[in-house]
Amino acid sequence: MPWPSIVLAVAPGIVWLWVFRRKDDHEPEPLGALLGAFVLGGAGVGLVLLVRPLIDGASFETAWGAAIFDSFAITAPIEESAKLLGVLVCARVWGELDEPLDGVIYAIAVGLGFASAENLFFAASGSTPALLLQRGVTATLGHVAFTGSLGYFLGHAWFARGGARIAWGAGGLTSAVLLHGLYDLFLVAPGNLGTIALLGVLPLGLILLGWKIRHHRGRSEEFHAAN
């Protein structure tokens, strides 16, 4: 694989990681921990490649039926579950999740690692530099929005107890799967509806993520004052 293609595949993820890390300005997460989360996200692609063939193979009479099943029952649940596992490993191994905003930041790092590994697969398959650049601001930011939403709920779950913790966690995975599935649906459904995914679902996901970051960021002083 040519070095320029590798750079175009991975560099956007690194740049976006730097951008979103700056949102955590009360107590920025250690760069090493975020890079570890990034690597775990990339490893999640390997997990998906192992699991997906075990549940693929359903057939449908209509193209829309196949698109809906693939988006909401296969791709989104498997990929978001793999990224959820990565975020939980980060939280347990590094022990740096000491405020709700950290859940979003680590989830974004995992999502960016996952997207960068996907981009590497596209580069290896011969994708053009133009397509890799496009993915750097579409699919890559899509994973930020999907898994960042998951991280918002995990930020709540981490500091909850009992049933509330389970409810927040389940809500996070559900929100990520629904947003991811909707994005993928418009990309793969018949009728050339990709514009809806790129100009509708993606901006909506990022706008919601911005609100979620501001909400948890507004609580940061409360948690750091307690420390």
Side-chain angles (χ1 to χ4, degrees):
M1 191 189 312
W3 278 105
S5 294
I6 295 175
V7 172
L8 288 173
V10 177
I14 298 296
V15 171
W16 289 122
L17 182 61
W18 175 79
V19 169
F20 284 100
R21 182 177 184 256
R22 290 171 59 85
K23 302 297 182 182
D24 186 16
D25 54 356
H26 283 94
E27 187 181 278
E29 297 309 297
L31 184 57
L34 288 179
L35 290 175
F38 187 90
V39 171
L40 280 173
V45 173
L47 181 60
V48 169
L49 291 175
L50 289 174
V51 173
R52 177 159 186 147
L54 301 177
I55 58 176
D56 260 338
S59 59
F60 294 86
E61 294 183 359
T62 67
W64 268 100
I68 292 171
F69 183 81
D70 181 81
S71 298
F72 290 100
I74 302 291
T75 301
I78 295 175
E79 294 189 1
E80 295 308 322
S81 294
K83 289 183 279 182
L84 169 61
L85 180 60
V87 178
L88 293 176
V89 169
C90 291
R92 288 296 184 185
V93 172
W94 284 286
E96 294 285 347
L97 209 158
D98 55 10
E99 61 167 311
L101 180 59
D102 292 347
V104 182
I105 299 301
Y106 280 105
I108 287 174
V110 168
L112 286 169
F114 190 98
S116 298
E118 276 193 338
N119 292 342
L120 283 173
F121 276 97
F122 275 85
S125 67
S127 294
T128 65
L131 178 58
L132 293 174
L133 285 172
Q134 177 185 322
R135 286 185 59 83
V137 293
T138 55
T140 301
L141 282 178
H143 283 291
V144 166
F146 312 148
T147 316
S149 179
L150 171 63
Y152 170 79
F153 284 85
L154 288 181
H156 281 293
W158 197 255
F159 297 95
R161 294 290 181 270
R165 169 172 282 193
I166 296 173
W168 279 115
L173 183 58
T174 300
S175 71
V177 167
L178 289 177
L179 188 60
H180 190 161
L182 191 62
Y183 178 85
D184 281 1
L185 175 62
F186 288 118
L187 288 181
V188 303
N192 298 317
L193 301 176
T195 301
I196 299 177
L198 299 177
L199 300 182
V201 179
L202 178 58
L204 175 62
L206 292 173
I207 289 170
L208 290 173
L209 177 62
W211 177 86
K212 291 164 185 172
I213 289 174
R214 286 194 298 272
H215 179 261
H216 277 338
R217 194 179 181 191
R219 304 177 62 201
S220 290
E221 289 185 2
E222 167 194 344
F223 283 85
H224 294 307
N227 292 334

